[in-house]
Amino acid sequence: MPTRAEIQNSLEAAQAQVITFFRGLSPQDLERPATANGVPGAVPWRAKDHLAHLVQNERNIQHLLRRVLAGGTRDDLLRQQYPPGMPLPDTLGDWGALTPEEQEQLVLAVAHLNDAIRDAHHDDTLKMLVADYLAVRQDTLELLHQFTDEQLAAPVPTVVGELPAGDLFAGNAGHTVDHITSIEEGLRPGG
């Protein structure tokens, strides 16, 4: 697991990368289709849809980590990660224990949630999205400092298995890079 300083450095570096990347896109590249949608038959995502997703995803992780700090039970922490209205699988928090149908159902339910976020922020300007991103990242950095070293190393149950809390913080940086890479590939001619 990365140290607190390494987590903070990776979050700050990812923030700089996000701001530089999105501000460096032309208005046309921000608005044109960049990647396929996770919902079959739905419209593709634009670059700025990815930025709205990154903000909401980070908020979701913050919500989970705050519940960890508040002493949430394993079942409580897991249940809050499943999309509302989705039937819960028999085994919570173990991706490998899910049937292929349950895995597919979970992936599609999450894709629908992501698409709802995309729709809710469809008309947001880049300036608005960047401001939201900077605010949510600042909240993440403040939350990081509320965790002790022991709490950062402690396992947190997730829908795919247990991860140290520190890895959940650091994962925001990796998630950012994944989205930027997808956008770059999608915007390339023939991409």
Side-chain angles (χ1 to χ4, degrees):
M1 188 206 72
T3 66
R4 180 184 314 276
E6 290 169 338
I7 294 167
Q8 183 165 340
N9 290 341
S10 69
L11 290 171
E12 290 171 350
Q15 175 180 311
Q17 185 179 10
V18 164
I19 301 306
T20 300
F21 176 75
F22 282 97
R23 285 185 175 157
L25 292 175
S26 70
Q28 296 79 16
D29 283 344
L30 283 167
E31 296 289 343
R32 71 182 174 107
T35 62
N37 193 314
V39 177
V43 297
W45 278 29
R46 304 164 301 166
K48 73 180 208 174
D49 297 329
H50 286 267
L51 185 52
H53 164 78
L54 290 171
V55 169
Q56 185 59 48
N57 184 72
E58 195 154 333
R59 280 191 183 117
N60 292 343
I61 291 170
Q62 288 173 2
H63 183 68
L64 173 63
L65 291 167
R66 283 189 181 99
R67 288 182 98 149
V68 167
L69 278 180
T73 67
R74 182 181 189 282
D75 281 352
D76 175 52
L77 294 171
L78 285 168
R79 281 191 182 97
Q80 70 109 28
Q81 294 174 58
Y82 287 89
M86 178 184 165
L88 295 176
D90 291 333
T91 304
L92 296 178
D94 184 354
W95 179 260
L98 300 179
T99 67
E101 293 79 20
E102 288 172 326
Q103 289 177 354
E104 183 178 332
Q105 182 183 28
L106 180 56
V107 167
L108 188 56
V110 169
H112 279 285
L113 286 176
N114 288 337
D115 221 36
I117 296 302
R118 180 190 65 97
D119 290 345
H121 294 278
H122 184 271
D123 295 327
D124 288 2
T125 64
L126 179 61
K127 183 177 180 177
M128 292 167 62
L129 293 168
V130 166
D132 283 349
Y133 177 80
L134 291 172
V136 79
R137 180 51 53 91
Q138 184 59 41
D139 290 346
T140 296
L141 290 169
E142 289 171 10
L143 182 59
L144 173 64
H145 294 292
Q146 294 176 32
F147 275 71
T148 65
D149 290 343
E150 294 77 23
Q151 288 169 321
L152 285 173
V156 175
T158 73
V159 295
V160 295
E162 290 191 348
L163 295 171
D167 286 353
L168 288 171
F169 278 106
N172 286 314
H175 190 71
T176 297
V177 171
D178 292 344
H179 278 271
I180 288 174
T181 300
S182 294
I183 296 165
E184 288 173 332
E185 290 172 0
L187 293 178
R188 260 190 234 128

